[in-house]
Amino acid sequence: MDDNSSASASKKRFYKRRPKKKEAAKSESGSLHEAAVEAKKAAKQPKTDTQEDKIETAKPNSKKRKRSNLPPSPVIGNEAWQKALNSAIETNKKSHYDRLNSFKKIQKSADKIRITPLGGLGEIGGNITVIETNTSAVIVDVGMSFPDSDMPGVDILIPDFNYLKTIKNKIAGILITHAHEDHIGAIPYLFKEMPLPLYATPMPLGMISNKLEEHGLKSARNLFRPVEKRKIYKIGEFEIEWLHITHSIVDSSALAIKTKAGTIIHTGDFKIDHTPIDGYPTDLHRLAHYGEEGVLCLLSDSTNSHKEGFTRSESSVGKTFDAIFSKSKGRVIMSTFSSNIHRVYQAVQHGLNYGRKVCVIGRSMERNIFTAIELGYISLDKSIFIDAHEVGKYNDNEVLIVTTGSQGETMAALYRMATDEHRHIKIKPTDQIIISAKAIPGNEGSVSTVLNFLLKSGASVAYQDFSEIHVSGHAAQEEQKLMLRLIKPKFFLPIHGEFNHITKHKETAMECGIPSKNILLMEDGDQVEVCAEYIKKVKSVKTGKIFIDNQINSQIENDVVMDRQQLADSGVVMIIAQIDRREKKLIAKPKVVSYGLVADRNDKEFSKEMEEVLVQFLSNAKKDVIENRAVLENEVRQVVRKHIFRSMKKYPTIVPTIFIM
């Protein structure tokens, strides 16, 4: 068959299937007529909402299922699966309640615990807390703090131990959380008055050993009781476990203290560091274990309670160190807290990476580093270290100096270098200084002074211009929340910080579900009683601070410090005079010497003024006053003091020496 005949046949078949135009038009016209009739009928009937929706949503030849606006079938009912569903909802609610209120597992008893902070509240540092029953007591930490600027000649402050003396017979021991000075610095002074068994992990004991040796208390090391973490020790009436915690010093611990009244968790200083330098993160599992068992009371670090988010890991400082070391052409001098072993270790490692020898300057820094090496907390070959007098034998780009003085202490090595007073090290313009620490509140002025001296020497100084040159060792808000959620205590006592810090920590705890009535804000000396039923303040005990001269490791009496404050504020006036007993007159011009009151150029004028005051006084003095030297000197002191206040608004110390002739 040819192509033409095939096409003709196909065309015929097409026309057979296709209707004629007139028939198609007629069919279409009929369909339209029927649709119009149906529409008129529908228009005469009232439309329901459902019908309107159907008309609006309906599509010609639509194969979709028509939508129903009826409510869904109920999931709660009497069918078997519905009953099972409802049961699961109720069970889950109870499960959430039980896990968030695990403290309800605590057995009710008549036993009570008293908690008394003797330091560490209303301040930063000086941490010491007493936890006691009627017949037994333990002390948690014995720390020191720094003096204010208006305490001349005072190097450190230690707690007043008077309350400890009153309960001495029931104290079973001292528990140490970690080896920072604000937690162990006052131990030698306490041991001089009352030696007690001392329980701590190896690193704190090693550093305390150094301190006792300084104070001539080597024999007191027989009281050391080394402890292992995750092991429970019976101390007095308490069962105590040391739990590993991360902080800015190695081998830090929280304490789980089991009592007949319930478990108390004391966090010590902490942060939640998941990538610590030693690879030992916080023991969250053990903390959670106690949380599930039920905790009566939590005492937790409040230092960083105003800081949102998380505290950065200690390991983050390493990147900043590497950036600084890679650019430094001269010596690198790094200063930080002597106890921050991991910070020092990171600096040393980067120094070694860039071919530098390490010189450690500062007695406390040397002791702490070599104690950490000896105990195995860090691994460094002692051949990498050189002495200060050997620094000059090496090129500047081959030396790293690690030193104390990050807080601007005038006796520390960095300050003496900055003021050109150090025997071996003088600051050069090519030096790179790293101050890897933050000023402790109250030390800002001292740190600023050191910075100014260093900058005047022409050195480059890295302090706060790098965001990660220093990281805190204290938990920020999200870490505090994690601790609260893990422990789930019935009662909460925020500790370690000023009142604004513990107030903010209370707000965070309330966000985590702890009722306000179950949180107490304490001050030093407040004694809080806690049991399964309540927590309340029951009394206050005597607290205070003892002033210490750290150069001779001895106490400075309160009146000495007050005299110094008086002299610093108003000065001193010394008067030496001879008086004729019968004439009641000055035999010669009195000698007047003043310090801190009038300028040197005004000394003559001031002496003449004092002479006139004495003449006026003697002319009106009674005979019995003139006859008694002690009475006379006291009267002269009062007259001169009042006169100076009227003219200068100052109350200087007056020292009269009167000779009656």
Side-chain angles (χ1 to χ4, degrees):
M1 184 182 293
D2 60 17
D3 291 341
N4 289 335
S5 60
S6 175
S8 176
S10 177
K11 201 170 183 181
K12 287 179 181 179
R13 287 196 299 271
F14 170 76
Y15 282 118
K16 283 181 182 179
R17 289 195 302 268
R18 186 176 179 182
K20 295 180 180 179
K21 287 184 179 180
K22 288 183 179 180
E23 291 176 354
K26 185 176 179 181
S27 173
E28 184 176 350
S29 175
S31 296
L32 290 172
H33 176 72
E34 290 174 1
V37 172
E38 291 295 327
K40 286 180 180 178
K41 289 180 179 179
K44 292 179 181 179
Q45 297 177 357
K47 298 176 184 177
T48 64
D49 292 341
T50 304
Q51 288 173 327
E52 287 179 350
D53 291 342
K54 287 181 180 179
I55 293 170
E56 288 174 4
T57 57
K59 293 182 180 179
N61 302 322
S62 175
K63 294 182 180 180
K64 291 184 179 179
R65 187 175 180 179
K66 293 181 180 179
R67 189 180 70 182
S68 171
N69 283 332
L70 295 174
S73 301
V75 292
I76 301 297
N78 294 321
E79 295 184 31
W81 69 270
Q82 291 173 322
K83 289 180 179 179
L85 183 66
N86 189 53
S87 175
I89 292 171
E90 296 303 317
T91 302
N92 286 339
K93 284 181 181 179
K94 185 178 184 305
S95 174
H96 287 309
Y97 179 83
D98 289 344
R99 72 182 180 86
L100 293 174
N101 296 274
S102 52
F103 59 80
K104 290 187 177 291
K105 298 174 185 177
I106 300 169
Q107 298 294 321
K108 292 184 180 180
S109 72
D111 295 287
K112 301 176 180 65
I113 296 295
R114 290 195 174 187
I115 300 170
T116 312
L118 301 178
L121 286 166
E123 61 179 334
I124 302 294
N127 300 289
I128 175 172
T129 302
V130 179
I131 300 175
E132 61 184 300
T133 65
N134 290 332
T135 57
S136 187
V138 290
I139 303 167
V140 179
D141 294 331
V142 187
M144 49 75 70
S145 55
F146 291 103
D148 295 331
S149 58
D150 64 346
M151 298 177 184
V154 178
D155 295 312
I156 64 171
L157 306 175
I158 64 172
D160 186 328
F161 300 131
N162 275 322
Y163 180 69
L164 299 182
K165 294 174 185 176
T166 65
I167 62 168
K168 179 180 178 180
N169 293 334
K170 70 174 184 179
I171 298 176
I174 301 169
L175 319 177
I176 299 300
T177 60
H178 65 284
H180 273 150
E181 288 292 322
D182 59 334
H183 293 259
I184 67 169
I187 287 175
Y189 302 97
L190 177 61
F191 270 37
K192 289 174 184 178
E193 299 187 39
M194 53 172 76
L196 295 165
L198 185 66
Y199 296 83
T201 50
M203 187 63 189
L205 288 179
M207 295 176 75
I208 292 168
S209 174
N210 295 333
K211 299 184 77 64
L212 293 178
E213 189 172 346
E214 280 183 16
H215 287 258
L217 297 171
K218 284 185 178 181
S219 61
R221 293 183 289 194
N222 293 327
L223 293 167
F224 285 2
R225 305 289 186 268
V227 300
E228 303 169 21
K229 293 183 178 180
R230 284 196 163 202
K231 182 177 179 180
I232 296 174
Y233 294 84
K234 179 75 173 176
I235 303 172
E237 293 182 3
F238 307 94
E239 292 183 356
I240 301 167
E241 179 181 349
W242 274 254
L243 313 173
H244 185 73
I245 212 88
T246 46
H247 185 41
S248 54
I249 187 170
V250 298
D251 206 10
S252 296
S253 303
L255 300 173
I257 304 171
K258 283 192 171 184
T259 74
K260 292 178 181 178
T263 300
I264 297 169
I265 299 292
H266 188 301
T267 67
D269 287 349
F270 80 98
K271 70 177 184 180
I272 308 296
D273 190 343
H274 298 295
T275 56
I277 300 302
D278 59 7
Y280 300 138
T282 295
D283 195 348
L284 299 176
H285 302 84
R286 200 64 184 153
L287 290 167
H289 162 76
Y290 278 103
E292 283 299 300
E293 279 193 343
V295 171
L296 177 65
C297 186
L298 169 67
L299 288 76
S300 188
D301 177 17
S302 305
T303 307
N304 264 0
S305 56
H306 288 286
K307 184 180 178 183
E308 296 181 352
F310 295 87
T311 299
R312 291 192 304 273
S313 170
E314 177 65 31
S315 60
S316 66
V317 178
K319 296 177 183 178
T320 304
F321 278 172
D322 189 70
I324 295 174
F325 275 84
S326 66
K327 297 175 183 177
S328 299
K329 306 301 180 184
R331 299 179 303 186
V332 175
I333 302 174
M334 196 279 286
S335 179
T336 188
F337 296 107
S338 64
S339 58
N340 198 338
I341 302 300
H342 281 159
R343 187 73 49 83
V344 173
Y345 180 69
Q346 288 190 87
V348 170
Q349 289 286 20
H350 283 87
L352 295 177
N353 292 343
Y354 287 91
R356 296 175 182 264
K357 287 288 186 178
V358 181
C359 175
V360 180
I361 301 178
R363 186 174 55 181
S364 60
M365 184 74 79
E366 289 179 30
R367 284 199 318 265
N368 293 343
I369 290 174
F370 290 111
T371 297
I373 293 173
E374 182 182 359
L375 295 176
Y377 287 96
I378 57 175
S379 178
L380 292 171
D381 190 330
K382 291 188 178 181
S383 65
I384 69 173
F385 297 100
I386 59 174
D387 293 330
H389 68 271
E390 298 179 287
V391 169
K393 298 178 183 179
Y394 295 85
N395 296 326
D396 286 354
N397 63 355
E398 297 175 339
V399 174
L400 163 65
I401 298 171
V402 180
T403 183
T404 55
S406 63
Q407 296 302 299
E409 307 97 311
T410 55
M411 297 303 295
L414 183 63
Y415 186 93
R416 288 185 283 120
M417 293 178 201
T419 55
D420 209 25
E421 296 174 1
H422 197 276
R423 182 179 177 185
H424 300 291
I425 308 297
K426 312 294 181 186
I427 300 298
K428 300 179 181 180
T430 54
D431 288 340
Q432 172 66 64
I433 314 293
I434 303 172
I435 300 180
S436 186
K438 184 179 179 181
I440 294 171
N443 290 353
E444 295 87 352
S446 300
V447 173
S448 179
T449 299
V450 172
L451 284 172
N452 291 333
F453 279 126
L454 292 169
L455 292 169
K456 285 178 181 178
S457 300
S460 299
V461 181
Y463 179 41
Q464 292 181 334
D465 44 349
F466 288 87
S467 61
E468 292 180 351
I469 202 166
H470 170 71
V471 295
S472 175
H474 297 275
Q477 288 177 10
E478 294 305 313
E479 294 152 281
Q480 290 176 344
K481 290 176 184 177
L482 177 56
M483 183 64 73
L484 288 160
R485 287 301 192 185
L486 285 173
I487 302 300
K488 300 171 286 188
K490 181 171 185 178
F491 301 113
F492 178 51
L493 295 173
I495 56 172
H496 299 175
E498 298 174 4
F499 198 78
N500 68 85
H501 297 118
I502 64 174
T503 301
K504 187 63 178 177
H505 204 173
K506 175 182 178 179
E507 294 175 8
T508 301
M510 291 171 64
E511 290 175 10
C512 292
I514 300 179
S516 176
K517 66 179 182 179
N518 287 5
I519 305 172
L520 275 186
L521 303 183
M522 301 184 293
E523 296 180 353
D524 287 346
D526 287 350
Q527 189 164 91
V528 171
E529 187 172 271
V530 59
C531 64
E533 298 296 325
Y534 62 80
I535 186 170
K536 65 181 180 180
K537 176 184 171 182
V538 291
K539 68 175 184 178
S540 294
V541 304
K542 183 180 181 294
T543 59
K545 297 297 181 186
I546 304 298
F547 306 117
I548 299 295
D549 184 338
N550 213 24
Q551 305 309 309
I552 56 176
N553 290 327
S554 68
Q555 178 180 344
I556 307 171
E557 296 298 333
N558 289 7
D559 57 342
V560 173
V561 176
M562 291 174 66
D563 287 344
R564 291 175 181 176
Q565 291 171 335
Q566 170 69 17
L567 292 170
D569 180 70
S570 301
V572 60
V573 176
M574 293 174 285
I575 300 173
I576 302 172
Q578 292 177 317
I579 295 175
D580 187 311
R581 179 185 284 109
R582 286 178 294 181
E583 298 293 330
K584 295 198 303 183
K585 291 182 180 180
L586 294 169
I587 294 175
K589 286 186 176 183
K591 183 170 184 178
V592 180
V593 179
S594 70
Y595 294 101
L597 187 65
V598 297
D600 291 346
R601 65 176 181 272
N602 298 328
D603 279 347
K604 288 184 179 180
E605 182 182 343
F606 182 69
S607 295
K608 185 177 180 181
E609 183 181 341
M610 292 300 100
E611 181 182 355
E612 292 172 356
V613 171
L614 288 176
V615 169
Q616 179 67 29
F617 164 72
L618 291 172
S619 65
N620 297 316
K622 294 179 181 180
K623 184 177 180 181
D624 57 340
V625 173
I626 299 295
E627 295 292 335
N628 189 320
R629 180 179 174 181
V631 173
L632 179 59
E633 287 183 348
N634 187 58
E635 290 291 323
V636 169
R637 184 181 295 110
Q638 296 301 322
V639 168
V640 172
R641 197 162 181 260
K642 288 178 181 178
H643 175 81
I644 292 174
F645 181 77
R646 283 195 296 267
S647 59
M648 300 183 182
K649 303 303 178 188
K650 288 289 182 183
Y651 281 122
T653 299
I654 310 298
V655 185
T657 304
I658 308 297
F659 297 96
I660 303 172
M661 312 299 288

